[in-house]
Structure formats: structure tokens, C-alpha cells
Amino acid sequence: MKKVLFVTSEAHPLIKTGGLGDVSGSLPKALAELSQDVRLIIPNYQSLKTNEDVRYLCSLRVDNRAVDILETHMPEAGVIVWLVDCPEYFDYPGNPYVDEQGNPWSNNAERFALFCRIAVEVAMNRAHLDWKADIVHCNDWQSGLVPALLSLEHDRPATVFTIHNMAYQGLFPGIIAASLNLPGQLLHSNGLEFHSMLSFIKGGLAYADRITTVSPTYALEIQTPALGYGLEGLLTYRKEVLSGIINGIDLDQWNPETDPYISQQYGAKSLAKKQFNKSELQRKLSLPVNGDIPVFGLISRLVEQKGIDLLIECLPDMIDMPLQFVLLGNGEHEFEHSLQNLAHIYPDKIAITISYDESLAHLIEAGADIFLMPSRFEPCGLNQMYSQRYGTIPVVRKTGGLADTVIDTLPETIANKSATGIVFNEASPGTLLEAIKRAIILYSSPDIWKQLQANGMKKDFSWQQSAKQYLALYRSI
Ligand code: ADP
């Protein structure tokens, strides 16, 4: 059994802003189910949603600041959670990283440096908790200083650093390093420095014993200038210890057989009932109710990363094709307006919902025939996995986790029953349009279509699968 300290700045359902929150909510639980001794450590933000059972454990003094460690548990899962309680730094309302205007809190470097120092004290069993980690698993820049600081300790635990998105690096003016009292041994261009700035993520990338990211393809892509954000050289240098492990999905929440949000539950053996969800979706979004026309769905933040601009360029051509298109999302106003304009002109073909709507998201997964993900990059991605579970055929660009979880439909993958979707290469409107045409042609071959659905619905996207790979990694260090 490994003792794992899981260091994270967010964890669902305590607090979540994105994919990191999902992973931190699910992976520790899945590791605990594999009989590992996992403890989560997270800042005690004001907006943290804990159970009643919070109790005081101990006080520490770090950098002249008094910090309490409190203990609680993950709701339902029961995994032990240690809260780093420093009101001066974490008792702020709302988002953990940014203020109400969306600007980063001005003392983020100090806040997360303190969090990292406390995690090190706990990991080294200097917090009187009578527990010493074997593995310290850090996530994203907010915990990046932990592997760096631990590298200076004798008899230290092994460290793993997981990259959830390279686009966020925790870069601060170089001068801050002095006020954070960071050890001089760490402050050089092979350490925490990045072009005279202080880089928190480099603490993980340069010092962790193992680096992981959330898909094997993304692990390769971040070693290139296109997606390495200037750190591709370091990542290539460390490629022997860098690997990708696909995230799992929540199989209880995303299960067409029990999903409370959809109008008719169904499974692989009762796929015909999926049709009722299609009619309900069409009715709800005021599209003509037509069982024969293929419905394309898309649910996403409306940002360039997700290829929304490529899709907008395709829409005028899609109008002339036998299809309907439904989109749920919000984000950049320019994209929101273009999409809404097109929906006004073609209300019989396009339905656009600008909001964040959990229940409509489930109905789209259940009711659409085809799901579009034309992402420019996608570290892992979730909807392509939900889609396969719901018998909805994903059309994805060959990048990151999309490339790793969707098998393109080709003569050989039809023959060996592995095909689950349509994969296209280039991030261009023309290529996306070709992929959409391929989907329409395949849709008109019911035998092949049913096989694609069946192949996708029997795939195992569980967290157990991912947790086993993390455990094998821990054991390999
Ligand atoms: P990212 O974390 O980059 O946004 P992911 O695919 O990893 O992309 O996860 C996004 C999750 O958020 C998915 O489960 C998706 O369905 C959900 N989501 C995104 N936008 C919306 C929305 N407007 N309404 C409901 N769910 C949404």
C-alpha cells in the first residue's frame, strides 16, 4: 500500500473551476478503492463546500505565518482531506484564483507558495500528523513548488507532477522570488527561472521524479513549440519520465441507463429508445421533429481552443446539407453573436443555447446522433467519452485526448470492430466539413452506424482504469 499525498488547488465537490477539479474529485477516490492510503491537501477557501465534520488537527509556523491544518472528508467518498487554513490568504469569496472582475488575486504567488510549503511540511511528517507520504502527487502550477522544495530534502517521498493544461504556468515577476524566501539553489534557468520570470510550473517540470499529463498524445504535443509554450525543450529533455494517462469519466453521472435528465433511459440493448430523446431535444429547441435527419450536437466553452471559429465558418455550408445542429455553450461574445445570428436566419436547422446548463448537456448527449469536437488542442476532453457511452458518434480533430479515445472509421477498424467515430487531421474549416460529410454518409448506412454505437458503448472509460495506471507509475518510481 502506498501513502499518497495528493496536492491540489481544487477538488469536486469541495470546489471546482475546471477539469483539475474533476480529476482531484475522482482519482483519489479510485486510488482509495484500490486500497491505497490517499490524503488530499487543499487550501481552505471561503467558498469550499465541506461537510459538518471539519476538525482542528495542528498549527504550523512557516515563513513567519501561523497556519492551521484542519481535517475533513470528501463528501460521500470518505477520502481524508487536509485543509490548509490561513485566512489571510484563502478566506476570499468566490473563485480560488481570480477576483470578481476575473483578474488574478494580486498575491497569488504568496498564496500558493505558502500552500506548497505547508504541503512539504506535511509530506515530510513535520506537521505532527504521524503520517509520512511515499508519493506526493502534485497538479498544475499551484502545487509546482512542492517537487522543487522536496528535491532539497533528505529521505524524501517520491514526486509526481501532473499537467492538466500547459496554457497555465504560474508566471510571476522574477523579483517575487526574493520575497518568497525561495532557496537560492532553485533559482536558475534549469530551475524555477523562465526568461527572468519565476515559473511555478517549472518546479514540477524540472524537479518531479515523474511527469504525467492527461493523454499520451498531449504528452507528445507539449514537446513541440506549438503546444509547449516555450517549455518544449525542458519537456523533451525529460521525456523519459514523461507519460500520458487518460482521465476517466464519472460512470454514475454519465450513464444513459439511469440518467435522470433525459426523457427516456436506454442502454446498448435498448438503443432504439434513444430516438425518444432525439424527438424531445428537437421539440425542446423548436426544431422540426424528424427522426430521420441526423442531429449534430456540440457542448463547449466558446473559445478558440475548441475550434468554434472553424465551425462557424462551416455553418453556411452545413445549411445546405440534410442535418440539424444544436449547440450549448458560452464564452467569447463574438462567437456567441455569430452563432445566434445564424440560428435566427435558419431556425429550422440551427438551435443555439448560450448558457451553462447541466441538464440540457445530458439531453444533447442522449438525443444527438453525432457530436462535434473540432478542438485545436485538447489535453484530454470529456465529451467525446460521454458521447461514446451514449451511442452518439463523435467527430473529433486528431489532437490530445481526442486522438487517444476515438478510433476513426476505416475499412480495417470496421472489420475488427474497433471504430467508434470520425477523426480528422487539419484544423481547417474544409477538413471539418469533409468530416461532417463523412458522418452523414455513415449515418445513412444503419448497419455500420449501429456497429459504431455498439463499439463505443462497450468501451471502459472508468476511473478505475486510470487509477490502475497511476498506481503502476507510483510503484515504478
Ligand atoms: P474543458 O475543461 O477544456 O472545458 P472538457 O471537455 O475537459 O473541456 O470538459 C468540459 C466539461 O464541461 C464537459 O463535461 C462539458 O460537457 C461541460 N460543459 C462545457 N460547457 C458547458 C455548458 N455550456 N453547459 C453544460 N456543460 C458544459
Side-chain angles (χ1 to χ4, degrees):
M1 183 182 67
K2 292 282 184 195
K3 292 203 193 88
V4 183
L5 182 66
F6 197 85
V7 188
T8 184
S9 57
E10 54 182 276
H12 178 75
L14 302 176
I15 186 152
K16 170 181 159 178
T17 73
L20 170 59
D22 285 322
V23 176
S24 306
S26 303
L27 177 57
K29 178 175 163 218
L31 286 165
E33 284 165 6
L34 294 175
S35 305
Q36 306 305 304
D37 179 3
V38 190
R39 318 276 166 117
L40 233 92
I41 186 164
I42 185 169
N44 191 22
Y45 309 109
Q46 196 184 91
S47 34
L48 211 71
K49 293 194 207 74
T50 50
N51 290 339
E52 300 292 285
D53 70 336
V54 179
R55 69 180 179 114
Y56 168 86
L57 282 189
C58 64
S59 300
L60 296 175
R61 222 179 157 74
V62 166
D63 264 353
N64 245 341
R65 250 183 200 85
V67 177
D68 291 344
I69 310 267
L70 314 176
E71 181 174 284
T72 184
H73 295 84
M74 288 300 266
E76 290 164 37
V79 172
I80 292 176
V81 179
W82 286 330
L83 306 174
V84 175
D85 190 40
C86 177
E88 185 191 344
Y89 280 165
F90 299 120
D91 194 11
Y92 301 176
N95 186 291
Y97 318 123
V98 298
D99 63 20
E100 278 110 36
Q101 280 73 48
N103 300 313
W105 297 110
S106 61
N107 57 352
N108 269 351
E110 289 84 356
R111 298 170 74 221
F112 289 105
L114 180 86
F115 174 57
C116 289
R117 284 189 188 275
I118 298 291
V120 168
E121 294 307 296
V122 169
M124 292 298 296
N125 197 18
R126 288 196 294 249
H128 319 293
L129 300 179
D130 196 21
W131 186 90
K132 185 170 181 198
D134 301 314
I135 303 283
V136 180
H137 189 156
C138 304
N139 296 276
D140 278 354
W141 72 263
Q142 293 86 352
S143 52
L145 297 185
V146 174
L149 291 167
L150 277 175
S151 75
L152 305 175
E153 302 278 353
H154 292 292
D155 195 19
R156 67 170 176 85
T159 52
V160 175
F161 183 77
T162 297
I163 304 161
H164 298 265
N165 192 336
M166 272 300 287
Y168 306 102
Q169 307 197 345
L171 276 178
F172 300 96
I175 193 151
I176 282 187
S179 63
L180 296 180
N181 283 323
L182 290 174
Q185 301 103 293
L186 302 175
L187 301 175
H188 49 82
S189 59
N190 293 326
L192 301 177
E193 267 178 37
F194 183 68
H195 301 291
S196 318
M197 307 274 285
L198 172 68
S199 164
F200 272 50
I201 201 174
K202 276 193 76 188
L205 304 186
Y207 294 99
D209 297 311
R210 294 287 187 282
I211 305 166
T212 73
T213 185
V214 289
S215 67
T217 295
Y218 194 60
L220 296 174
E221 290 171 334
I222 56 178
Q223 296 176 49
T224 67
L227 293 177
Y229 300 88
L231 291 168
E232 58 275 10
L234 172 57
L235 287 164
T236 306
Y237 176 71
R238 301 217 66 204
K239 67 175 184 225
E240 300 303 325
V241 297
L242 166 62
S243 61
I245 298 176
I246 283 280
N247 291 337
I249 60 173
D250 185 328
L251 296 182
D252 297 328
Q253 218 195 330
W254 293 92
N255 180 355
E257 292 184 271
T258 56
D259 193 328
Y261 294 116
I262 65 180
S263 72
Q264 176 71 60
Q265 292 154 355
Y266 63 96
K269 296 205 176 76
S270 53
L271 246 182
K273 291 197 222 160
K274 181 171 162 60
Q275 192 75 11
F276 293 109
N277 295 296
K278 179 167 172 176
S279 319
E280 174 63 18
L281 181 66
Q282 290 168 324
R283 231 184 326 270
K284 190 167 180 155
L285 299 176
S286 308
L287 291 166
V289 176
N290 176 346
D292 296 329
I293 195 166
V295 173
F296 286 71
L298 194 160
I299 306 165
S300 176
R301 293 184 288 123
L302 302 179
V303 296
E304 205 187 89
Q305 178 199 331
K306 303 291 182 180
I308 301 302
D309 50 324
L310 305 176
L311 176 92
I312 290 174
E313 281 197 56
C314 283
L315 277 173
D317 291 306
M318 288 166 69
I319 298 305
D320 298 327
M321 301 179 183
L323 59 78
Q324 293 175 348
F325 175 63
V326 305
L327 177 145
L328 166 66
N330 52 15
E332 287 175 26
H333 296 315
E334 197 188 315
F335 293 149
E336 293 180 351
H337 290 151
S338 316
L339 288 162
Q340 281 173 316
N341 283 342
L342 283 160
H344 279 133
I345 305 173
Y346 306 104
D348 281 357
K349 304 222 85 171
I350 304 180
I352 304 292
T353 310
I354 302 294
S355 84
Y356 192 97
D357 184 338
E358 189 75 27
S359 99
L360 181 57
H362 284 251
L363 184 61
I364 292 176
E365 283 293 2
D369 298 296
I370 297 148
F371 196 93
L372 293 177
M373 291 185 83
S375 303
R376 288 207 157 69
F377 72 95
E378 195 66 79
C380 178
L382 293 172
N383 276 107
Q384 81 281 9
M385 294 190 269
Y386 302 154
S387 296
Q388 289 173 71
R389 199 131 198 266
Y390 279 67
T392 304
I393 305 306
V395 173
V396 303
R397 191 168 101 74
K398 190 172 185 171
T399 183
L402 303 178
D404 293 329
T405 54
V406 180
I407 310 284
D408 197 14
T409 303
L410 302 166
E412 60 269 29
T413 57
I414 293 175
N416 67 19
K417 294 192 166 20
S418 62
T420 62
I422 290 170
V423 182
F424 64 98
N425 270 310
E426 223 181 289
S428 75
T431 324
L432 171 57
L433 204 60
E434 285 309 311
I436 290 169
K437 286 181 193 159
R438 273 177 71 201
I440 295 173
I441 292 167
L442 282 173
Y443 180 77
S444 64
S445 314
D447 289 346
I448 296 183
W449 198 257
K450 281 190 194 126
Q451 201 211 310
L452 296 184
Q453 291 178 307
N455 295 347
M457 290 178 94
K458 65 171 193 271
K459 282 178 82 162
D460 181 359
F461 294 118
S462 68
W463 268 108
Q464 256 58 41
Q465 272 301 324
S466 313
K468 279 182 199 152
Q469 294 178 57
Y470 279 105
L471 186 54
L473 178 88
Y474 298 160
R475 288 180 172 146
S476 77
I477 309 179

